[in-house]
Amino acid sequence: LNIVIYRFSFPCSLETPPPAGIRNNMRAATESVSLSCPQELVRNICILAHVDHGKTTCADNLISNSGIISRHSAGKIRYLDSREDEQEREITMKSSAIALRWKAPEQPDRNFLVNLIDSPGHVDFTSEVSTAARLADGALVVIDVVEGVEAQTRTVLRQAYRDRVKTMLLLNKVDRLILELELTPLEAYLRLAKILQEVNAATQQLVSEEIMAKDAAEDPLKNLNPGSEGIDLADATLEFDEAAEQAWRYSPESGNVAFGCASHGWAFRIDTFASMIAVKLGAKPEILQKVLWGEWTFNKKTKRVQRRSANDTKSKPMFVEFILQPLFSVYEAACKDWDLELLTKMKKQIPSWNGLDLSKLSAGSAATRELFSRWLPFADCILGMATQILPSPVQAAPERLPVLCPRWFAKGAASADSNEVAAGLWRSDASATPVAYIAKFLAADLDRLVLTGDRLAGEEDVQFVGICRIFAGTLTSGADMFIMQDDSASGDKDIQPRVLRVTRIFRLMGRFLEEISEAGAGTIFACQVLPVTSAVGGTSEGSYPGTQDKILSQDSELGVERCLTLCGMRHGPCFETPYSSQAFAIVRVSIEAQNVADIDALDRGLRLLHRADPSVSVEAMVTGENVLGCCGDEHLKRCVTDLQKLYARDVHLSISKPLVAVREAIAKPTVGDRKDFKSSSLWLPSWMSHIIDASTEASSQISAPASDRGDDASESTQLASQQERISMSPTGTTTVWTANRKACVKISAVPLPDSILLWMDEHAEALESVIHRQRASLELAGSSGIGTLERCLEEVADHIEQLWEISEKEQPQELNTEGRKVLCGMSVARGSRALLLDASNSGWSLREGRGTPESEIFGDRVPEWMRPNILTGFQLAAMAGPLCEEPMRGVALILHGCQDLGTDEVVNASQVSLGHVHGASPFGPMSGQIMVAAKEACRYCLLRRGFARICEAMLSLDIHCEQEMLGKVYGVLGKRRAKVQDEGLREGTSLFYISSFLPLADSFGLAQDLRQAASGHVYFHCAFSHWELSDENPFQESCLSAEELEDLGDQPLPPNIARKLVDEIRKRKGLPTDEKVVKDGTKQRTVTRMK
């Protein structure tokens, strides 16, 4: 039996199907697992935790309760880790699901269906946590009682709260407090209470943030100005929802907190011991449950419960006396020194030990697991808590739908009774129109009915199944479903949704798939979908797609979608994606095929990888290289493994060193800045010096006929042809003429205030939806809740202008305070954060730039044909700055006006007269020139002398090590420009912690250096934190005087870190640099061999 279990414990390493005996045993254990179950008995649970806190071991214990694996093998098999690298590294890299059946001991007639999802805890695989949170209705949050609340613990709590996934808490690895830290029961209780306080503080912070955000949305003017008089507490209207706070509070007396040790197979809640000791104390279990946690003590003389005073050092809390002391006694008797006498006495009080021969056991982990798993079964505790605390699909639907599909169910949107589909979703009705959500795709071998893991058994091509959750209706094999698009929610009748056919449906059993015929509402399953060529003509609203269409071949690619919303009707809801489009790819590498003949195979492999992994970004550069973006080193290793073994087999890859991403910005001016009016404010690097030479070439000699414009016009044309096409004033205003010298634009750049930049970062997802995809977002709809595009644009413009006015009053030296500035453009795509402000009083607004009808535009002083071109040029410049064509961040570009050839003086944009341009329109011959001129003006604003800067990506780095390794760890951090924020001794342990910020450019190879310096006695957690403006000027020579440049001679200044980053990125992109490859081309060099 042990041999069979061992072979079955590594299913990912098997290149052939499992032996028939094992397969039959597994099927026999899961025959009763049917997805047909009353929804009140269905629980969809995911396990969330920081890395190495015991998620997969918890899952093993729950699976062993169903008989799929042995109880003694739980925690060793890691059943849901189906990949070979997961088994070798002992970390989970992909979310896995399994369907389990469980009967409550006190209610054997209630047979629950539990869909369990195990998710990774490593920060590189956060997208897998988003998948698990989207599919589940409840979550088990696991915390190691020694390590406490870690950074990823806070992340998963935030994700669960965002998706309204109700959570319960497991304080795991209690045995470490006894065996490793050797704490007393009272010290262990204080440790557990402190962790519970930290978790509650984290969840209550999420609740408070949401309440305060709603209050700020209702009154946008409140609290904007830090120097204002503040809020009158007597008239304050901020109301906290006590019910919401209580729902997200963890308290053992409420039953949503469990304590245990998954590796030893035991867990308990307060009510577990309350029922045990109620008879002994002569109390009711429900009353005893309320006082077993907290500062309550039992007076043995009076037989009454009383609160402990602050000065009471003699009495013990009831949790210590009645729960922890028996646990500590069993551990000391079974794990440390075998005390048969004590265990024999306890055997009389523990009925589950009857029939166990204690004389055959010996001290150690095996005996401890045997005793505790019989006394406090892990699965009964956790699954019992899940069935009591976590909601069923019917109960969870009203809470989750406003978040998952705000267009249909949020405030101001359609109600649940507006149509048939919405009503079915609100009730989670199995007889309604089917609505399913595919959260991600998994590579599978459907002939063998297994998930491929990280390798294929034969030469067959990889296939995909989608891990799916059905929210309403019943999905059957062969059903045709419409793919809901973002615009379909608006009811546009012209949109023709695509159709998918669900060819096969499977029950997820870890690595294995069990084919079934249908799946009802509230269940999690896998399905194979194939695109249909076209919908049947005549398919009307409210009807199912036709079944006469032909299915495309198995090799046809579905598309680039990573998650899909499927509906049985043409017009249905489109769920919000759980994956952030603003997610930052920390590690980016260039991948090329060594053999030219394998380029197509590599391209297809990258498309398949992009489809299978939601957190991967694949970008085809202009130079032809494929840039793969990953969330970290571990994620990169997994992606390369998948490419080589699954999606692009037999393709030899060339992988570059990690690429560094930066953002281009502008420095903040200081009060003492001196302006040199003799030298030009525009400073161009050597690789851009040709621009000045070409600015007065033949392109400027084109002019309009004299008969059309008169003598004065001819003179002004000649004057314009003699001046430079690109110039910058001492105040930083850049003037760029079009190539034919018909018009020019005047733009300057100032740094964005920190308040605006922070607000843009917080609402990046919603802003990208409104500005670039032109989709309404309820997050930006304001207090009215009207989710229209026009309303969102008005709210964004009003909020930005209010923040700008406040910043002008607080920081007048940093911002140009002349005139009123109106927001008319914004860019948040590809990581850019830039604004376009109109300072010419022309009436150009953000709403107008998005296609406001002509009748609604007040005033006609700015030519309408020019505005879209200027806006397009601004967006192009914001996504590719002048330093190294990286996105701009924290830059406000101010449009000051234009200049007309008919006059020599500068006028406002409202005074531009281009009447000589006949038939001017946004698509006319002048549109391209205006677009290019606006783009160049925006780019050259950042090249103001001494103001060019870059923003570096900063990572938050948390390191834990022993005291003797501190010096070596600090040596590694010192070489990598780390900024230490906090340090100290971790309470209750001998470990020291170091919290710091580390530049991304210096983070590569950090793990190897730390482990080599500390001999492996160190562990760390690294994640993206923020963008930080560099203090270094990449062009140091621009700030030197003429005398300093003369003293410098031909020898350039040694490049600083900012310049090195810029040059490195320009070289990678194939852009010119000022590096001298050959210093002395005519000097003879004699090469001799040393003898």
PDB file of all heavy atoms in Angstrom, residues 47-50 53-55 58 140-144 148 153 156 168-173 262:
ATOM      1  N   ILE A  47      -8.458  28.472  -0.932  1.00  0.00           N
ATOM      2  CA  ILE A  47      -7.510  28.591   0.181  1.00  0.00           C
ATOM      3  C   ILE A  47      -6.509  29.677  -0.169  1.00  0.00           C
ATOM      4  O   ILE A  47      -5.824  29.600  -1.195  1.00  0.00           O
ATOM      5  CB  ILE A  47      -6.799  27.248   0.450  1.00  0.00           C
ATOM      6  CG1 ILE A  47      -7.822  26.127   0.678  1.00  0.00           C
ATOM      7  CG2 ILE A  47      -5.890  27.357   1.656  1.00  0.00           C
ATOM      8  CD1 ILE A  47      -7.201  24.770   0.908  1.00  0.00           C
ATOM      9  N   LEU A  48      -6.417  30.697   0.683  1.00  0.00           N
ATOM     10  CA  LEU A  48      -5.556  31.848   0.447  1.00  0.00           C
ATOM     11  C   LEU A  48      -4.575  31.981   1.597  1.00  0.00           C
ATOM     12  O   LEU A  48      -4.948  31.810   2.758  1.00  0.00           O
ATOM     13  CB  LEU A  48      -6.376  33.130   0.329  1.00  0.00           C
ATOM     14  CG  LEU A  48      -7.549  33.126  -0.660  1.00  0.00           C
ATOM     15  CD1 LEU A  48      -8.297  34.438  -0.574  1.00  0.00           C
ATOM     16  CD2 LEU A  48      -7.077  32.865  -2.072  1.00  0.00           C
ATOM     17  N   ALA A  49      -3.323  32.313   1.276  1.00  0.00           N
ATOM     18  CA  ALA A  49      -2.315  32.484   2.326  1.00  0.00           C
ATOM     19  C   ALA A  49      -1.028  32.988   1.706  1.00  0.00           C
ATOM     20  O   ALA A  49      -0.858  33.024   0.476  1.00  0.00           O
ATOM     21  CB  ALA A  49      -2.065  31.175   3.084  1.00  0.00           C
ATOM     22  N   HIS A  50      -0.132  33.390   2.578  1.00  0.00           N
ATOM     23  CA  HIS A  50       1.236  33.713   2.188  1.00  0.00           C
ATOM     24  C   HIS A  50       1.965  32.421   1.840  1.00  0.00           C
ATOM     25  O   HIS A  50       1.529  31.311   2.193  1.00  0.00           O
ATOM     26  CB  HIS A  50       1.929  34.438   3.349  1.00  0.00           C
ATOM     27  CG  HIS A  50       3.276  34.984   3.013  1.00  0.00           C
ATOM     28  ND1 HIS A  50       3.456  36.119   2.254  1.00  0.00           N
ATOM     29  CD2 HIS A  50       4.519  34.550   3.321  1.00  0.00           C
ATOM     30  CE1 HIS A  50       4.744  36.361   2.126  1.00  0.00           C
ATOM     31  NE2 HIS A  50       5.419  35.418   2.760  1.00  0.00           N
ATOM     32  N   HIS A  53       2.750  28.909   4.184  1.00  0.00           N
ATOM     33  CA  HIS A  53       1.933  28.949   5.392  1.00  0.00           C
ATOM     34  C   HIS A  53       1.044  27.717   5.534  1.00  0.00           C
ATOM     35  O   HIS A  53       0.315  27.628   6.521  1.00  0.00           O
ATOM     36  CB  HIS A  53       1.084  30.212   5.428  1.00  0.00           C
ATOM     37  CG  HIS A  53       1.824  31.406   5.921  1.00  0.00           C
ATOM     38  ND1 HIS A  53       1.214  32.482   6.528  1.00  0.00           N
ATOM     39  CD2 HIS A  53       3.155  31.701   5.914  1.00  0.00           C
ATOM     40  CE1 HIS A  53       2.118  33.384   6.856  1.00  0.00           C
ATOM     41  NE2 HIS A  53       3.310  32.936   6.490  1.00  0.00           N
ATOM     42  N   GLY A  54       1.099  26.786   4.551  1.00  0.00           N
ATOM     43  CA  GLY A  54       0.424  25.509   4.723  1.00  0.00           C
ATOM     44  C   GLY A  54      -0.865  25.328   3.949  1.00  0.00           C
ATOM     45  O   GLY A  54      -1.718  24.537   4.364  1.00  0.00           O
ATOM     46  N   LYS A  55      -1.022  25.982   2.795  1.00  0.00           N
ATOM     47  CA  LYS A  55      -2.265  25.854   2.025  1.00  0.00           C
ATOM     48  C   LYS A  55      -2.428  24.460   1.443  1.00  0.00           C
ATOM     49  O   LYS A  55      -3.490  23.825   1.577  1.00  0.00           O
ATOM     50  CB  LYS A  55      -2.291  26.887   0.895  1.00  0.00           C
ATOM     51  CG  LYS A  55      -2.252  28.317   1.350  1.00  0.00           C
ATOM     52  CD  LYS A  55      -2.242  29.262   0.179  1.00  0.00           C
ATOM     53  CE  LYS A  55      -1.062  29.025  -0.726  1.00  0.00           C
ATOM     54  NZ  LYS A  55       0.233  29.235  -0.044  1.00  0.00           N
ATOM     55  N   CYS A  58      -3.168  21.815   3.964  1.00  0.00           N
ATOM     56  CA  CYS A  58      -4.583  21.873   4.350  1.00  0.00           C
ATOM     57  C   CYS A  58      -5.452  21.178   3.317  1.00  0.00           C
ATOM     58  O   CYS A  58      -6.380  20.434   3.665  1.00  0.00           O
ATOM     59  CB  CYS A  58      -5.019  23.325   4.523  1.00  0.00           C
ATOM     60  SG  CYS A  58      -4.274  24.180   5.923  1.00  0.00           S
ATOM     61  N   LEU A 140     -10.769  30.285   2.789  1.00  0.00           N
ATOM     62  CA  LEU A 140     -10.084  29.938   4.033  1.00  0.00           C
ATOM     63  C   LEU A 140      -8.737  30.641   4.018  1.00  0.00           C
ATOM     64  O   LEU A 140      -7.872  30.323   3.194  1.00  0.00           O
ATOM     65  CB  LEU A 140      -9.901  28.424   4.150  1.00  0.00           C
ATOM     66  CG  LEU A 140      -9.053  27.939   5.328  1.00  0.00           C
ATOM     67  CD1 LEU A 140      -9.738  28.255   6.650  1.00  0.00           C
ATOM     68  CD2 LEU A 140      -8.771  26.436   5.219  1.00  0.00           C
ATOM     69  N   VAL A 141      -8.553  31.608   4.898  1.00  0.00           N
ATOM     70  CA  VAL A 141      -7.289  32.337   5.000  1.00  0.00           C
ATOM     71  C   VAL A 141      -6.424  31.642   6.042  1.00  0.00           C
ATOM     72  O   VAL A 141      -6.828  31.504   7.201  1.00  0.00           O
ATOM     73  CB  VAL A 141      -7.534  33.804   5.382  1.00  0.00           C
ATOM     74  CG1 VAL A 141      -6.215  34.552   5.499  1.00  0.00           C
ATOM     75  CG2 VAL A 141      -8.433  34.481   4.366  1.00  0.00           C
ATOM     76  N   VAL A 142      -5.240  31.193   5.622  1.00  0.00           N
ATOM     77  CA  VAL A 142      -4.339  30.444   6.484  1.00  0.00           C
ATOM     78  C   VAL A 142      -3.167  31.339   6.878  1.00  0.00           C
ATOM     79  O   VAL A 142      -2.569  32.003   6.022  1.00  0.00           O
ATOM     80  CB  VAL A 142      -3.830  29.165   5.776  1.00  0.00           C
ATOM     81  CG1 VAL A 142      -2.948  28.355   6.709  1.00  0.00           C
ATOM     82  CG2 VAL A 142      -5.001  28.327   5.279  1.00  0.00           C
ATOM     83  N   ILE A 143      -2.847  31.351   8.165  1.00  0.00           N
ATOM     84  CA  ILE A 143      -1.740  32.171   8.678  1.00  0.00           C
ATOM     85  C   ILE A 143      -0.854  31.309   9.560  1.00  0.00           C
ATOM     86  O   ILE A 143      -1.339  30.603  10.453  1.00  0.00           O
ATOM     87  CB  ILE A 143      -2.266  33.376   9.477  1.00  0.00           C
ATOM     88  CG1 ILE A 143      -3.090  34.295   8.582  1.00  0.00           C
ATOM     89  CG2 ILE A 143      -1.121  34.153  10.121  1.00  0.00           C
ATOM     90  CD1 ILE A 143      -3.637  35.498   9.308  1.00  0.00           C
ATOM     91  N   ASP A 144       0.431  31.361   9.304  1.00  0.00           N
ATOM     92  CA  ASP A 144       1.417  30.708  10.159  1.00  0.00           C
ATOM     93  C   ASP A 144       1.552  31.520  11.445  1.00  0.00           C
ATOM     94  O   ASP A 144       1.856  32.723  11.412  1.00  0.00           O
ATOM     95  CB  ASP A 144       2.758  30.630   9.426  1.00  0.00           C
ATOM     96  CG  ASP A 144       3.786  29.799  10.166  1.00  0.00           C
ATOM     97  OD1 ASP A 144       3.675  29.676  11.397  1.00  0.00           O
ATOM     98  OD2 ASP A 144       4.700  29.273   9.514  1.00  0.00           O
ATOM     99  N   GLY A 148       3.227  35.076  11.319  1.00  0.00           N
ATOM    100  CA  GLY A 148       2.221  36.112  11.492  1.00  0.00           C
ATOM    101  C   GLY A 148       1.681  36.632  10.176  1.00  0.00           C
ATOM    102  O   GLY A 148       1.728  35.967   9.137  1.00  0.00           O
ATOM    103  N   THR A 153      -0.296  38.054   2.843  1.00  0.00           N
ATOM    104  CA  THR A 153      -1.544  37.852   3.579  1.00  0.00           C
ATOM    105  C   THR A 153      -2.454  39.062   3.420  1.00  0.00           C
ATOM    106  O   THR A 153      -3.665  38.926   3.202  1.00  0.00           O
ATOM    107  CB  THR A 153      -1.242  37.611   5.064  1.00  0.00           C
ATOM    108  OG1 THR A 153      -0.301  36.547   5.199  1.00  0.00           O
ATOM    109  CG2 THR A 153      -2.515  37.242   5.810  1.00  0.00           C
ATOM    110  N   VAL A 156      -3.970  39.001  -0.203  1.00  0.00           N
ATOM    111  CA  VAL A 156      -5.094  38.089  -0.447  1.00  0.00           C
ATOM    112  C   VAL A 156      -6.342  38.551   0.300  1.00  0.00           C
ATOM    113  O   VAL A 156      -7.471  38.358  -0.184  1.00  0.00           O
ATOM    114  CB  VAL A 156      -4.713  36.644  -0.066  1.00  0.00           C
ATOM    115  CG1 VAL A 156      -3.546  36.155  -0.903  1.00  0.00           C
ATOM    116  CG2 VAL A 156      -4.380  36.520   1.421  1.00  0.00           C
ATOM    117  N   MET A 168     -12.970  32.933   6.246  1.00  0.00           N
ATOM    118  CA  MET A 168     -12.806  32.380   7.588  1.00  0.00           C
ATOM    119  C   MET A 168     -11.314  32.161   7.804  1.00  0.00           C
ATOM    120  O   MET A 168     -10.538  32.083   6.849  1.00  0.00           O
ATOM    121  CB  MET A 168     -13.573  31.069   7.749  1.00  0.00           C
ATOM    122  CG  MET A 168     -13.248  30.006   6.722  1.00  0.00           C
ATOM    123  SD  MET A 168     -14.305  28.559   6.879  1.00  0.00           S
ATOM    124  CE  MET A 168     -13.561  27.457   5.650  1.00  0.00           C
ATOM    125  N   LEU A 169     -10.897  32.070   9.044  1.00  0.00           N
ATOM    126  CA  LEU A 169      -9.475  32.139   9.389  1.00  0.00           C
ATOM    127  C   LEU A 169      -9.016  30.842  10.044  1.00  0.00           C
ATOM    128  O   LEU A 169      -9.728  30.263  10.868  1.00  0.00           O
ATOM    129  CB  LEU A 169      -9.228  33.315  10.327  1.00  0.00           C
ATOM    130  CG  LEU A 169      -7.787  33.602  10.740  1.00  0.00           C
ATOM    131  CD1 LEU A 169      -6.951  33.996   9.537  1.00  0.00           C
ATOM    132  CD2 LEU A 169      -7.758  34.713  11.795  1.00  0.00           C
ATOM    133  N   LEU A 170      -7.828  30.406   9.630  1.00  0.00           N
ATOM    134  CA  LEU A 170      -7.158  29.268  10.263  1.00  0.00           C
ATOM    135  C   LEU A 170      -5.782  29.721  10.723  1.00  0.00           C
ATOM    136  O   LEU A 170      -4.938  30.102   9.900  1.00  0.00           O
ATOM    137  CB  LEU A 170      -7.032  28.087   9.296  1.00  0.00           C
ATOM    138  CG  LEU A 170      -6.144  26.935   9.780  1.00  0.00           C
ATOM    139  CD1 LEU A 170      -6.723  26.286  11.034  1.00  0.00           C
ATOM    140  CD2 LEU A 170      -5.930  25.890   8.681  1.00  0.00           C
ATOM    141  N   LEU A 171      -5.549  29.696  12.019  1.00  0.00           N
ATOM    142  CA  LEU A 171      -4.224  29.961  12.576  1.00  0.00           C
ATOM    143  C   LEU A 171      -3.477  28.640  12.622  1.00  0.00           C
ATOM    144  O   LEU A 171      -3.700  27.799  13.496  1.00  0.00           O
ATOM    145  CB  LEU A 171      -4.348  30.587  13.967  1.00  0.00           C
ATOM    146  CG  LEU A 171      -5.070  31.941  14.013  1.00  0.00           C
ATOM    147  CD1 LEU A 171      -5.092  32.494  15.425  1.00  0.00           C
ATOM    148  CD2 LEU A 171      -4.429  32.938  13.063  1.00  0.00           C
ATOM    149  N   ASN A 172      -2.595  28.459  11.663  1.00  0.00           N
ATOM    150  CA  ASN A 172      -1.954  27.169  11.400  1.00  0.00           C
ATOM    151  C   ASN A 172      -0.590  27.085  12.083  1.00  0.00           C
ATOM    152  O   ASN A 172      -0.027  28.082  12.530  1.00  0.00           O
ATOM    153  CB  ASN A 172      -1.815  26.987   9.886  1.00  0.00           C
ATOM    154  CG  ASN A 172      -1.453  25.582   9.497  1.00  0.00           C
ATOM    155  OD1 ASN A 172      -1.768  24.631  10.216  1.00  0.00           O
ATOM    156  ND2 ASN A 172      -0.790  25.421   8.371  1.00  0.00           N
ATOM    157  N   LYS A 173      -0.105  25.873  12.162  1.00  0.00           N
ATOM    158  CA  LYS A 173       1.222  25.560  12.684  1.00  0.00           C
ATOM    159  C   LYS A 173       1.363  25.951  14.152  1.00  0.00           C
ATOM    160  O   LYS A 173       2.386  26.528  14.579  1.00  0.00           O
ATOM    161  CB  LYS A 173       2.316  26.214  11.838  1.00  0.00           C
ATOM    162  CG  LYS A 173       2.294  25.786  10.372  1.00  0.00           C
ATOM    163  CD  LYS A 173       3.471  26.330   9.596  1.00  0.00           C
ATOM    164  CE  LYS A 173       3.438  25.897   8.140  1.00  0.00           C
ATOM    165  NZ  LYS A 173       4.593  26.371   7.363  1.00  0.00           N
ATOM    166  N   ALA A 262      -1.924  21.691  10.246  1.00  0.00           N
ATOM    167  CA  ALA A 262      -2.276  20.869   9.092  1.00  0.00           C
ATOM    168  C   ALA A 262      -1.304  19.720   8.901  1.00  0.00           C
ATOM    169  O   ALA A 262      -1.693  18.633   8.463  1.00  0.00           O
ATOM    170  CB  ALA A 262      -2.323  21.735   7.834  1.00  0.00           C
TER     171      ALA A 262
END
